Amino acid sequence: ILTKWTKGFSASGVASQDVGVLLSESLKRKGVSNIELVAVVNDTTGALVSCAHQYPDCQVSLILGTGSNCSYMESLDNVELWTADQDGEPKQVIIDTEWGAFGDDGTIDEYRTNLDKELDNHTPNKGRQRFEKMISGLYLGEVVRLILKQLAEHKLIFDGVLSKELQTRSRFETRFISQIEEEAEEKYEICKQVLQELGIIEPTIEDCRIIKMVCQVVSTRAAWMAAAGLGAVVDKLGMKNTTVGMDGSLYLKHPTIHDIMRVAINELSPSTCVKFVHAEDGSGRGAALNPIDTSLNAIDTSQNSSDTSLNAIDTSQNSSDTLFNAIDTSQNSSDTSLNAIDTLHYPRDTSLNVIYTSQHPSDTSQNAIDTSQNSSDTSQNAIDASQNSSDAS
């Protein structure tokens, strides 16, 4: 059952309907009689099936592309929504968390900046998919653009003059982030080319340095947030070793997100050895394997439950703990994972006041972001994954 459209898609007469039935009826209307529809499979579910076919210890799949989602294997005994007979097979089912909608109930509001809220206000699905809008490829470029816009307003870049292109919503594409971050040399030739394409004809080296720093901050935040979600799922499984099937354009094409996520998951879930592998062609191969492998009957928790994304995972505990409380990133602090990282490092009511490179030109590119903590903690160590916490994910 399609409960609601996301990512800007919309078609009348589909919401609250069984899309499998609609597809079968459409095939009949077109005179297609040689196709039997067995199942409609979410791409994350397909990725898990595809990866598990090659790696038997694969228990989780994660898509980080235009959107984001996560699926994992759950013991049938813990699935309260299962209505069929529990005798015999299957012993496990796939839980499609639909975690892109995590926080739609306000759970993660304290981690959202004013710029996240501004971005959300101008999307077709305002107020929905809040977690996804902070970590996925469809939105990261716009987050960067909004930061650059505010920096220009504070006359910290471009002499305070913003081009028409950079004043246009969604004009700064997420692919620009990958291109800018991938450039190793400090000549910033690629960054200059991107800016010239966006109407900034003569950007300075200092402009380019700040822009690259902003891209790195936004990417790092996305990687750590995705790893935080993954860590909650991994901790719930409680396994010593597990393989995670990864797919999605952002994960595959961004130069550093993969490495950042590896560091983050090792810190957030130190009791589990997590191996990332590419779940190749999950949408195709996984969908083909799904009806064949009867031991992997998928259940989409988002169809029959009012629970949103990762709250739907906690089927065995009925816990009110949310994702980031489940991780319990600090024992004695009200800071949670994203506050601890505080990748944007600025007061909640402002944007990037903290980037003050023009006032302090002697700062290095890393010190140019005022962490407001004067701490020697790195962004990875900033999340205290609190091994002594009594909270179980």
Side-chain angles (χ1 to χ4, degrees), residues 6 11 41 89 103 128 151 166 201 209 227 229 246 307 312 316 322 369:
T6 62
V41 182
E89 299 294 336
R128 302 203 299 269
L151 287 172
L166 282 175
I201 305 304
R209 188 174 70 84
M246 301 290 299
D307 287 340
S316 64
T322 57
I369 293 187

Side-chain angles (χ1 to χ4, degrees), residues 90 179 295:
Q179 293 170 4
S295 67

Side-chain angles (χ1 to χ4, degrees), residues 1-4 40 42 44-45 69-76 78-82 93-102 233 236 297-316:
I1 306 296
L2 177 72
T3 57
K4 58 190 175 185
V40 177
N42 179 281
T44 318
T45 301
N69 194 13
C70 179
S71 292
Y72 77 103
M73 297 301 302
E74 179 62 270
S75 170
L76 188 58
N78 295 331
V79 182
E80 295 176 349
L81 298 178
W82 187 267
V93 293
I94 298 176
I95 301 294
D96 171 15
T97 68
E98 290 296 334
W99 80 3
F102 179 62
V233 175
K236 186 183 190 303
N297 293 304
I299 177 173
D300 183 351
T301 62
S302 66
Q303 294 182 8
N304 302 309
S305 171
S306 61
D307 287 340
T308 58
S309 71
L310 285 185
N311 289 332
I313 289 180
D314 200 5
T315 55
S316 64

Side-chain angles (χ1 to χ4, degrees), residues 5 9-15:
W5 288 102
F9 291 102
S10 182
S12 61
V14 182

Side-chain angles (χ1 to χ4, degrees), residues 31-242:
V32 180
S33 58
N34 61 341
I35 294 179
E36 179 186 359
L37 181 65
V38 177
V40 177
V41 182
N42 179 281
D43 60 347
T44 318
T45 301
L48 179 51
V49 174
S50 175
C51 189
H53 184 69
Q54 186 174 358
Y55 300 92
D57 66 338
C58 180
Q59 296 290 309
V60 186
S61 65
L62 194 161
I63 303 294
L64 193 59
T66 304
S68 183
N69 194 13
C70 179
S71 292
Y72 77 103
M73 297 301 302
E74 179 62 270
S75 170
L76 188 58
D77 293 337
N78 295 331
V79 182
E80 295 176 349
L81 298 178
W82 187 267
T83 57
D85 188 359
Q86 294 193 20
D87 295 332
E89 299 294 336
K91 299 296 185 185
Q92 289 182 306
V93 293
I94 298 176
I95 301 294
D96 171 15
T97 68
E98 290 296 334
W99 80 3
F102 179 62
D104 287 4
D105 59 354
T107 304
I108 62 172
D109 279 358
E110 63 182 290
Y111 313 117
R112 300 170 71 223
T113 69
N114 285 343
L115 298 185
D116 292 315
K117 296 172 184 177
E118 181 177 348
L119 180 151
D120 182 36
N121 287 338
H122 293 95
T123 57
N125 57 340
K126 178 182 175 181
R128 302 203 299 269
Q129 302 298 111
R130 293 182 181 182
F131 187 56
E132 184 173 76
K133 289 172 183 176
M134 300 173 76
I135 67 174
S136 71
L138 184 61
Y139 306 101
L140 294 190
E142 178 64 3
V143 174
V144 170
R145 187 194 72 85
L146 290 171
I147 294 172
L148 299 184
K149 177 174 175 286
Q150 192 161 96
L151 287 172
E153 291 171 354
H154 287 81
K155 301 187 184 302
L156 296 173
I157 56 174
F158 312 142
D159 291 327
V161 180
L162 203 64
S163 66
K164 181 179 179 181
E165 286 82 356
L166 282 175
Q167 295 180 52
T168 304
R169 291 191 184 93
S170 301
R171 185 64 181 87
F172 194 102
E173 301 174 29
T174 299
R175 66 183 176 93
F176 295 154
I177 298 177
S178 297
Q179 293 170 4
I180 290 170
E181 288 194 56
E182 197 168 21
E183 187 175 23
E185 298 183 4
E186 298 299 313
K187 295 181 180 179
Y188 301 108
E189 295 300 329
I190 294 178
C191 185
K192 289 178 181 178
Q193 292 175 14
V194 169
L195 290 174
Q196 287 168 0
E197 182 178 339
L198 295 172
I200 306 298
I201 305 304
E202 295 183 356
T204 66
I205 292 295
E206 184 68 4
D207 289 336
C208 293
R209 188 174 70 84
I210 294 174
I211 288 160
K212 184 171 185 177
M213 191 189 313
V214 170
C215 290
Q216 291 170 334
V217 163
V218 171
S219 298
T220 298
R221 184 183 76 153
W224 273 87
M225 289 186 72
L230 178 61
V233 175
V234 167
D235 287 350
K236 186 183 190 303
L237 291 173
M239 303 179 73
K240 187 175 180 181
N241 300 282
T242 191

